[in-house]
Amino acid sequence: STQSTWESITSLTNSYKTAIVYKSILRLMITSECRKLITPTHLRLLTVASLLDSHEQARDYMRNSVYKLLNFAKLPMKYSPLLITMTVDNNKNSSYQAKEQVYKLIQTYRERLRIMEKSNSRVTLSDIRAPLLWPEYILADLIYSLAHFPNLDDGHPHYEPIQICLYTYFEAVTNDTDNTSFFYTLLPNLKRHNDALQPKNKNTKLICDIAFEILHNEYGKVKNSSGKLYPGAVNIPKLFSPPASKSDDDTAKQFISNAFRLIGKPKALKGIHGEVKPVGGSNPHNEDNSNIPQPNPPAIQTEKPLAKEPKKKAKSKKSLLDEVSDDENDKIPAKRKKPTKTKPNPNEDTGDDPFEIDEEKQSRSTSKRKEIGA
């Protein structure tokens, strides 16, 4: 028992120390000076460190801290892949929480765009500022991060961890939004470009193929999609460099094997809806409930008086209090009647008029005077 206690104390100490390290790194990330020095390589190292950390408490602290910084705009949107990649946590509860946080984060970005549109400062997807504001452009940063995912080849041929991240992102970003046409335009453009740091590395093109399979089979064939290509231009981040020549264009080439299979929504999205509680309440996807029969108003009105019965009783309590006070007033005179046996006090105010003459008493007094005089 002593040894187990010591091991638990040691693990807590190491977890606490790891959380301090993560906290220091995040403090540096939110500063404008260090933000310019942070490269995708640094983000990948931070992702690997948080995912492979053996301390669950430290991983939870890292995930929650990243979510809060992104949600309150202390970290730019391009850091969102940090949170998305945490959905492949070996701990199921941590993975579920990460998926819920990704969903909520995308909704936060949507709300910011609505606020901007109401203030007459609307930014379109083709605008140069769009990669900083529109969550659709997270896909480019996510693909680049996943392309440098540790032990990527170990997931061959299905690449389940990669699929989980892409499923989680597409489920959140396509919710109540017809943006599949934009992704149909963005993905081929990203696949046409090369990795800016490692031009010979084809992992970005592999991730583009996986993303296209998920998009087309799971989200592109739904009724909400218009099926049309995006008419505007798309912005390609600097992480991707254009091919040196037309011969290097790998758009038509397939980088996933024939054995590749999609894991499907039920498995990939477990934790954000389905048999698991949905995010953001009972109607997280803003479904149209207008066709659902609403409660009958008369029935609701008949139930309200029942709820107000205690108030009526409260009114009756007031009458009961009055009755009690009346009873007490009735008892008080009964107690005061006992001293009537004593001699009356001539100075006591009996309520009679002191100036009223009693004829009977006056006659008695005159008769007594006559007797005395006789």
Side-chain angles (χ1 to χ4, degrees):
S1 61
T2 306
Q3 185 177 359
S4 61
T5 304
W6 173 251
E7 290 177 355
S8 62
I9 294 175
T10 306
S11 62
L12 287 174
T13 305
N14 294 334
S15 177
Y16 176 72
K17 290 180 180 179
T18 307
I20 291 178
V21 173
Y22 288 156
K23 187 175 182 179
S24 302
I25 294 174
L26 292 175
R27 282 181 176 177
L28 291 174
M29 289 174 64
I30 61 178
T31 58
S32 58
E33 295 81 5
C34 294
R35 191 181 300 173
K36 299 177 181 178
L37 302 175
I38 295 175
T39 64
T41 304
H42 297 143
L43 295 179
R44 292 196 303 272
L45 292 174
L46 185 59
T47 302
V48 173
S50 59
L51 287 176
L52 300 182
D53 199 318
S54 59
H55 305 102
E56 182 179 348
Q57 294 179 350
R59 294 199 310 271
D60 291 342
Y61 173 83
M62 178 64 181
R63 185 192 69 253
N64 293 328
S65 300
V66 170
Y67 169 69
K68 290 179 180 178
L69 292 175
L70 289 169
N71 195 40
F72 292 102
K74 292 185 177 180
L75 279 178
M77 193 173 61
K78 67 177 182 179
Y79 291 85
S80 300
L82 264 176
L83 181 64
I84 298 175
T85 52
M86 293 179 185
T87 58
V88 295
D89 197 303
N90 292 328
N91 187 302
K92 292 182 179 180
N93 292 330
S94 299
S95 177
Y96 296 165
Q97 291 176 11
K99 293 174 184 177
E100 292 179 354
Q101 289 172 342
V102 170
Y103 184 90
K104 293 177 181 178
L105 181 63
I106 299 297
Q107 300 306 312
T108 301
Y109 291 148
R110 293 285 186 215
E111 186 61 27
R112 291 176 188 171
L113 289 172
R114 295 188 193 101
I115 295 173
M116 292 182 64
E117 187 173 359
K118 291 180 180 179
S119 61
N120 297 325
S121 57
R122 186 173 182 268
V123 177
T124 63
L125 278 168
S126 300
D127 196 288
I128 300 177
R129 299 169 295 173
L132 302 176
L133 301 171
W134 282 82
E136 278 77 4
Y137 281 101
I138 294 176
L139 180 61
D141 295 312
L142 179 61
I143 288 176
Y144 193 87
S145 298
L146 295 178
H148 297 272
F149 204 75
N151 302 325
L152 176 64
D153 296 335
D154 294 346
H156 182 81
H158 305 302
Y159 304 98
E160 290 190 9
I162 306 299
Q163 289 196 51
I164 291 174
C165 295
L166 291 171
Y167 266 107
T168 302
Y169 168 73
F170 279 124
E171 182 69 14
V173 79
T174 59
N175 178 53
D176 292 339
T177 307
D178 184 9
N179 51 9
T180 54
S181 60
F182 173 80
F183 292 120
Y184 275 128
T185 306
L186 177 64
L187 283 172
N189 278 277
L190 291 176
K191 186 178 178 181
R192 188 179 298 112
H193 288 66
N194 296 323
D195 190 335
L197 294 178
Q198 301 176 357
K200 295 183 179 180
N201 190 349
K202 303 299 182 181
N203 286 344
T204 56
K205 304 177 186 296
L206 171 67
I207 305 301
C208 285
D209 283 346
I210 298 175
F212 186 85
E213 289 293 323
I214 296 175
L215 173 70
H216 181 66
N217 292 283
E218 300 286 3
Y219 300 96
K221 295 181 179 180
V222 297
K223 297 179 181 179
N224 295 332
S225 176
S226 61
K228 299 178 180 179
L229 292 178
Y230 180 68
V234 295
N235 296 286
I236 305 299
K238 296 180 180 180
L239 300 173
F240 297 84
S241 59
S245 61
K246 293 183 178 180
S247 59
D248 296 335
D249 190 353
D250 298 326
T251 306
K253 186 177 180 180
Q254 192 76 8
F255 287 88
I256 54 176
S257 64
N258 295 329
F260 175 81
R261 296 291 182 272
L262 295 176
I263 61 177
K265 285 186 179 182
K267 183 177 181 179
L269 300 177
K270 189 175 182 181
I272 55 176
H273 58 247
E275 63 271 14
V276 187
K277 292 182 179 180
V279 182
S282 60
N283 191 15
H285 299 290
N286 300 325
E287 297 175 354
D288 186 9
N289 294 331
S290 59
N291 296 327
I292 300 176
Q294 300 297 326
N296 192 5
I300 297 176
Q301 291 177 359
T302 55
E303 292 176 358
K304 286 184 179 179
L306 296 177
K308 289 184 177 180
E309 284 184 0
K311 293 185 178 179
K312 290 184 178 180
K313 290 181 179 179
K315 293 181 180 180
S316 62
K317 284 181 180 180
K318 186 176 180 180
S319 61
L320 287 175
L321 291 174
D322 295 337
E323 291 177 2
V324 172
S325 62
D326 293 339
D327 293 340
E328 290 178 354
N329 293 333
D330 292 341
K331 292 178 182 178
I332 291 172
K335 292 181 179 179
R336 289 180 180 176
K337 288 180 181 179
K338 294 181 180 179
T340 54
K341 296 180 180 181
T342 59
K343 295 182 179 180
N345 187 0
N347 297 326
E348 184 179 2
D349 185 8
T350 58
D352 299 332
D353 189 357
F355 299 99
E356 183 179 2
I357 300 174
D358 191 349
E359 296 179 355
E360 185 177 357
K361 289 182 178 180
Q362 189 176 6
S363 60
R364 288 179 182 176
S365 61
T366 52
S367 61
K368 286 183 179 180
R369 288 176 184 174
K370 290 179 180 181
E371 290 177 359
I372 294 172

